[in-house]
Amino acid sequence: MTKKLAALTLSTALVALAAPAFAQSQGDWTVGVGVGYLDPKSDNGTLAGFDAEIDSDTRPIFTVEYFVQDNLGIELLASTPYKHDVTLGGSVDAGSVKHLPPTLSLNYHFPTNSAWKPYVGAGLNYTIFFEEDSPLGDLDLDNSFGVSLQAGLDYMVTEKGAVRLNVRWFDIDSDVKLDGNDIGTAEIDPFLIGLSYVHRF
């Protein structure tokens, strides 16, 4: 029994050692390409006296990360423009808006001896709104600046490549004007669920 237990322990250790290392070393770069599902929270504030609802959207996302120390990286998130329809009172079409959510984060990647690599991060987001369109008049949303938090998990498929699943939260609030008049604040605060391929250079 002791020999069997020792053999099992040794074989498990060998499997762990044989897994792709993907060590995040100081000076490394990673580039990620994938898709991101952006889902605003359910209660999006009150606009012009009506409860606002902002729908979800899915777009390509891109990340670049530079490791300033082992396992500690600075990451920039970018995407193609997200587009959201806005509804008031559950039925009134208030229009649509596009935005870009560039986000700069500091990420810590937990060192492991397996192909699974979890990480967490925190940073700052600057959301740029544009192409606001509304049948009700001239719609305008102020740009937003706020914090962002994330957690993710990489699964190594090669020594330098990984499939990444991550979840981000953004603090996004925007003052809204219609025909130059303040009508309230859009409280978006979305989650972004991302699936990407990440390559280390």
Side-chain angles (χ1 to χ4, degrees):
M1 180 63 70
T2 303
K3 290 182 178 180
K4 289 182 179 180
L5 182 59
L8 179 61
T9 302
L10 179 60
S11 62
T12 302
L14 289 174
V15 169
L17 290 173
F22 195 67
Q24 295 94 1
S25 301
Q26 182 176 2
D28 284 350
W29 288 87
T30 66
V31 174
V33 178
V35 293
Y37 172 70
L38 191 75
D39 186 29
K41 70 174 187 175
S42 56
D43 179 8
N44 300 128
T46 302
L47 299 178
F50 295 92
D51 291 336
E53 297 178 11
I54 302 173
D55 74 352
S56 306
D57 195 18
T58 302
R59 296 293 178 190
I61 57 174
F62 313 94
T63 58
V64 175
E65 186 170 11
Y66 175 72
F67 285 84
V68 293
Q69 295 182 11
D70 291 353
N71 304 310
L72 188 67
I74 296 176
E75 177 200 59
L76 177 64
L77 166 72
S79 75
T80 59
Y82 283 91
K83 182 178 180 180
H84 303 281
D85 293 326
V86 182
T87 304
L88 299 180
S91 60
V92 179
D93 177 17
S96 64
V97 61
K98 291 183 178 181
H99 85 271
L100 288 171
T103 303
L104 192 65
S105 299
L106 182 66
N107 298 334
Y108 180 74
H109 298 255
F110 295 95
T112 66
N113 290 320
S114 76
W116 300 95
K117 305 289 183 181
Y119 73 94
V120 293
L124 297 173
N125 164 259
Y126 185 70
T127 301
I128 304 164
F129 295 96
F130 60 100
E131 291 189 18
E132 301 98 325
D133 181 58
S134 173
L136 305 178
D138 183 15
L139 183 67
D140 180 70
L141 277 77
D142 287 347
N143 295 339
S144 170
F145 183 76
V147 300
S148 175
L149 304 173
Q150 70 165 318
L153 182 65
D154 293 341
Y155 177 73
M156 306 314 306
V157 292
T158 68
E159 184 180 351
K160 293 190 175 183
V163 175
R164 171 173 293 176
L165 176 65
N166 71 331
V167 178
R168 298 174 190 259
W169 173 81
F170 304 93
D171 177 22
I172 301 177
D173 298 316
S174 175
D175 293 331
V176 183
K177 293 183 177 66
L178 185 66
D179 293 331
N181 299 310
D182 294 331
I183 61 171
T185 300
E187 301 170 2
I188 305 170
D189 298 342
F191 281 95
L192 176 66
I193 301 173
L195 181 65
S196 305
Y197 173 77
V198 180
H199 193 82
R200 176 171 59 92
F201 294 91

